[in-house]
Amino acid sequence: MQTRSGIAVSPGVAIGEALLFGSEGFQIPQRFVSVDAVESEVGRFRAAIEAVSIGLEENQRVASERLGDEYAAIFGAHRMMLRDKKLIGEIEGLIRTKCFSPEFAASRVLRNYAKVFQNLGNPYLAERAADVFDLEKRLLRALLGEKRPELSHITEHVVILAHNLTPSETAGLDPEFVLGFATEVGGRTSHTAILAGALEIPAVVGIGNFLADVSPGELVIIDGGRGEVIIDPDEATLEKYRVSLESRKQENARLAELHELPAITPDGVRVHVMGNIEFPQEVEHCTERGADGVGLYRTEFLYLGARTEPTEEDHYNAYCRVLESMSDRPVVIRTLDLGADKVPASGASFYEVDNPALGLRSIRLSLRDTPQFKIQLRAILRAAVHGDVRIMFPLVTTLLELRKAKMILGDVMEDLDDARIDFNRDVPIGMMVEVPAAVMLADEFAREVDFFSIGTNDLIQYALAVDRGDPNVSSLYRAGDPSILRLIQMVVDAANRHGINVTVCGQMSSDPRFIPLLVGMGLRTLSVTPISIPEVKDIIRHVSVGQAEEIARHALALDIARDVENYLRGELSRIHPEHSPVD
Ligand code: PEP
Ligand code: MG
């Protein structure tokens, strides 16, 4: 049994057999082959060598014609390496003596060579490791075929262990069969992590290299609450987790009783707890848990799951579906926030830049591609006839951007008027506050919008200069950083000065520790992951506004994230001693 720790991103426990995907996206096959199959597997390996060698020869010929022999030589060197008798002997030796599959044997031998190059202490030779990885990739492709299997077609109960899952891949997972997943990369508020919460699949990300320690089909436990993956658990551990699954059920039953109770503090202050959704069908996760509305509908997921660009009717139908379930409760529809890690299948080249989070994403993209933006706005305005719709623009950084977006909205209304199409012209307009520049200009923005929604996921990454998806810096990504608390307070104060509503819709508001703090800072609306709604309500019903304000005062006086978070953890257990994570 081995336990590996990562970042807990979606609670719950999954116990099942591992399906593995390596860093190049190849499914990692069985490690062993049967004794009888050894010779035919050696034959398969030789055929792969032949195929790769022919491909390299062709590359060398083309490169030599286009660029000259000097550049083409690299492919010649790769061929020589591939045909090296010692290398082939080592791989075949492992297939014959240890019954390793050719894929596993080739990876192992080539990676050992790469490691040797990397450790020679010579920068020129260290770079040769990249050539070895390149060869490994070519060999695996020849052995396994080009394509990664469609994750959306999985029809057996499995736990997925992968180097990485993109948000589009995660969006396609079927929670009925994918019991849980764990990835080597990824951060707390990466969109893959957010989707795991949306699909309510237990998940751990940012574990670091661990796939080499697992065999396909091996039993694993994903503990999404603790952020642990247990490989090949012993009986006692399995039993412990079966008991934990049972107590989770009981805790869920206790919280289920709160579904219809409003979130009112003991001194009678009402807090609205809304749900964040990515897919229309998630609206049921909100209604089942007594949400006061949808505080954030991430509409870009309409693009990520689709093979073709959604039409106005696709948008309209998705929005009507949500509105129908929410009846008269508010639904905040955020316009497209594509870009950064949310790239549609037909990804354009501007997505492939060094710093996509600082690139052409979100409202910047909508303002550039106005026909696409107008299609969405038309659909929102038309759907708004059927319920309480509010429009929200993401990643607004300058006043000019906001004004341009509002002007385009005005144009769309004129078009609908001209075409005599029914729509609602009195839709409140709000913006995400998720860039420090927008916080600094919160007073100016507050004069021009009807509401703010603070996107702490991006606000933290942009304020602290920490990529929200990079596990290497996950320890620096802290919602409790004093600078973040002050930024939030500035936005709340500006909203109050101008009499507009303000919400927090980033993951911070789904974290129990921060609920008393946010209430104490003056927030009266929170938008959270649907699964967290009962828990958030439960905490609000245990903390008076007086207590919460005292907590906020104290937290805002601290100067280190760790102290803030420890203090808030302590206060939460004082306020609500029964509240404890089930795992
Ligand atoms: C945020 O940035 O906090 C937010 C809610 O938006 P997203 O996570 O979709 O970027
Ligand atoms: Mg954001």
Side-chain angles (χ1 to χ4, degrees):
M1 177 169 106
Q2 283 186 61
T3 302
R4 302 299 302 264
S5 297
I7 305 167
V9 291
S10 181
V13 167
I15 305 175
E17 290 183 3
L19 184 64
L20 302 183
F21 294 94
S23 60
E24 295 301 334
F26 297 112
Q27 182 175 344
I28 299 177
Q30 291 294 342
R31 190 177 285 195
F32 298 105
V33 295
S34 73
V35 182
D36 309 346
V38 160
E39 282 315 313
S40 69
E41 291 295 301
V42 169
R44 199 161 67 81
F45 170 64
R46 288 188 181 168
I49 294 261
E50 214 37 54
V52 173
S53 181
I54 291 170
L56 285 170
E57 202 173 348
E58 178 59 11
N59 285 353
Q60 187 173 7
R61 190 186 60 74
V62 173
S64 152
E65 271 170 26
R66 292 201 187 136
L67 305 165
D69 288 346
E70 197 188 326
Y71 290 94
I74 177 79
F75 296 109
H78 280 190
R79 272 182 69 218
M80 264 172 61
M81 214 190 294
L82 184 72
R83 298 232 167 246
D84 183 84
K85 284 208 173 59
K86 184 166 173 290
L87 181 90
I88 294 179
E90 261 181 72
I91 296 174
E92 291 191 0
L94 286 179
I95 302 174
R96 285 208 169 90
T97 57
K98 301 215 162 158
C99 291
F100 280 174
S101 67
E103 293 86 351
F104 188 67
S107 262
R108 190 151 162 171
V109 171
L110 286 164
R111 281 176 183 236
N112 276 344
Y113 275 107
K115 228 180 255 168
V116 171
F117 278 126
Q118 281 168 335
N119 295 337
L120 284 175
N122 174 326
Y124 173 78
L125 290 175
E127 277 178 28
R128 299 286 69 78
D131 295 328
V132 180
F133 284 126
D134 195 26
L135 264 192
E136 182 203 11
K137 201 157 71 173
R138 285 174 192 274
L139 258 179
L140 286 178
R141 197 177 293 141
L143 285 162
L144 293 165
E146 191 80 39
K147 245 175 93 33
R148 175 177 180 135
E150 282 278 349
L151 296 182
S152 54
H153 294 168
I154 289 172
T155 50
E156 277 173 32
H157 289 123
V158 288
V159 166
I160 292 184
L161 306 181
H163 176 68
N164 191 17
L165 291 177
T166 65
S168 318
E169 286 168 334
T170 313
L173 298 180
D174 182 346
E176 194 184 327
F177 296 109
V178 179
L179 306 173
F181 73 76
T183 58
E184 294 189 333
V185 302
R188 191 176 305 286
T189 64
S190 61
H191 286 96
T192 295
I194 288 171
L195 281 169
L199 295 164
E200 306 195 350
I201 297 178
V204 180
V205 303
I207 297 171
N209 295 344
F210 80 107
L211 292 177
D213 301 335
V214 198
S215 297
E218 205 162 16
L219 194 68
V220 288
I221 299 174
I222 306 268
D223 182 338
R226 283 218 173 86
E228 285 179 355
V229 176
I230 301 159
I231 304 156
D232 190 18
D234 58 28
E235 253 322 301
T237 308
L238 262 178
E239 184 52 25
K240 191 183 97 187
Y241 273 95
R242 289 195 186 114
V243 171
S244 143
L245 275 173
E246 198 42 48
S247 62
R248 169 169 290 275
K249 266 195 212 145
Q250 285 169 13
E251 174 67 359
N252 285 345
R254 182 184 79 77
L255 290 171
E257 289 167 14
L258 284 172
H259 286 180
E260 290 316 316
L261 292 177
I264 298 184
T265 62
D267 48 350
V269 175
R270 177 83 156 90
V271 178
H272 289 90
V273 181
M274 325 261 278
N276 292 347
I277 64 169
E278 289 71 31
F279 311 105
Q281 54 277 26
E282 264 186 281
V283 70
E284 267 79 56
H285 293 173
C286 298
T287 48
E288 280 161 15
R289 294 179 173 111
D292 293 311
V294 170
L296 169 65
Y297 178 6
R298 292 181 164 103
T299 59
E300 57 277 4
F301 284 91
L302 214 55
Y303 284 72
L304 295 194
R307 299 207 178 276
T308 54
E309 189 140 319
T311 62
E312 183 178 327
E313 287 316 295
D314 293 333
H315 282 279
Y316 177 76
N317 292 333
Y319 305 154
C320 287
R321 160 100 166 71
V322 174
L323 290 167
E324 196 184 329
S325 295
M326 272 291 145
S327 63
D328 55 354
R329 283 171 277 184
V331 175
V332 179
I333 302 183
R334 181 175 76 179
T335 62
L336 296 178
D337 185 26
L338 285 170
D341 61 339
K342 288 180 283 194
V343 177
S346 56
S349 58
F350 56 74
Y351 292 122
E352 288 158 22
V353 291
D354 286 345
N355 282 316
L358 303 180
L360 188 56
R361 65 169 287 209
S362 201
I363 191 73
R364 301 170 184 178
L365 196 56
S366 296
L367 294 176
R368 176 83 68 100
D369 185 350
T370 44
Q372 183 190 51
F373 191 32
K374 283 184 173 179
I375 286 175
Q376 177 171 39
L377 294 175
R378 279 172 70 97
I380 298 176
L381 291 172
R382 284 173 53 210
V385 171
H386 308 295
D388 180 352
V389 169
R390 296 145 194 218
I391 295 182
M392 178 158 75
F393 300 124
L395 207 83
V396 175
T397 309
T398 68
L399 280 150
L400 217 52
E401 278 174 341
L402 174 67
R403 289 175 192 159
K404 274 190 197 155
K406 287 173 74 173
M407 205 171 68
I408 294 170
L409 187 65
D411 292 347
V412 170
M413 288 188 188
E414 270 181 33
D415 293 345
L416 289 169
D417 260 336
D418 291 347
R420 297 183 190 286
I421 295 172
D422 199 16
F423 72 97
N424 181 355
R425 70 174 66 247
D426 297 318
V427 177
I429 298 166
M431 61 179 265
M432 301 271 307
V433 182
E434 51 185 348
V435 180
V439 178
M440 302 315 292
L441 294 181
D443 277 298
E444 285 75 5
F445 278 116
R447 292 191 191 100
E448 303 191 22
V449 291
D450 299 309
F451 64 92
F452 283 154
S453 192
I454 306 175
T456 47
N457 301 341
D458 276 314
L459 188 58
I460 295 168
Q461 96 164 336
Y462 294 129
L464 301 182
V466 177
D467 182 340
R468 61 194 267 190
D470 183 350
N472 294 312
V473 285
S474 64
S475 61
L476 303 175
Y477 185 96
R478 308 292 281 259
D481 194 278
S483 63
I484 303 301
L485 269 42
R486 289 177 204 184
L487 288 166
I488 295 173
Q489 191 66 66
M490 285 168 76
V491 182
V492 175
D493 291 347
N496 288 342
R497 272 193 294 278
H498 295 271
I500 66 167
N501 199 304
V502 55
T503 309
V504 171
C505 66
Q507 294 298 99
M508 182 180 183
S509 58
S510 302
D511 184 330
R513 290 171 303 170
F514 292 109
I515 306 304
L517 169 78
L518 295 174
V519 172
M521 288 168 92
L523 283 142
R524 296 294 174 264
T525 312
L526 300 174
S527 193
V528 309
T529 309
I531 204 171
S532 307
I533 292 172
E535 195 176 26
V536 170
K537 280 187 173 183
D538 192 28
I539 294 166
I540 291 168
R541 292 175 66 84
H542 280 79
V543 61
S544 71
V545 166
Q547 267 175 312
E549 284 174 351
E550 193 46 48
I551 290 171
R553 238 190 317 277
H554 187 89
L556 276 156
L558 297 172
D559 55 9
I560 293 175
R562 188 197 53 214
D563 294 348
V564 171
E565 290 168 7
N566 285 341
Y567 166 69
L568 293 177
R569 190 176 297 111
E571 286 303 296
L572 180 61
S573 51
R574 203 167 58 79
I575 293 163
H576 191 352
E578 305 107 86
H579 176 278
S580 61
V582 185
D583 295 315

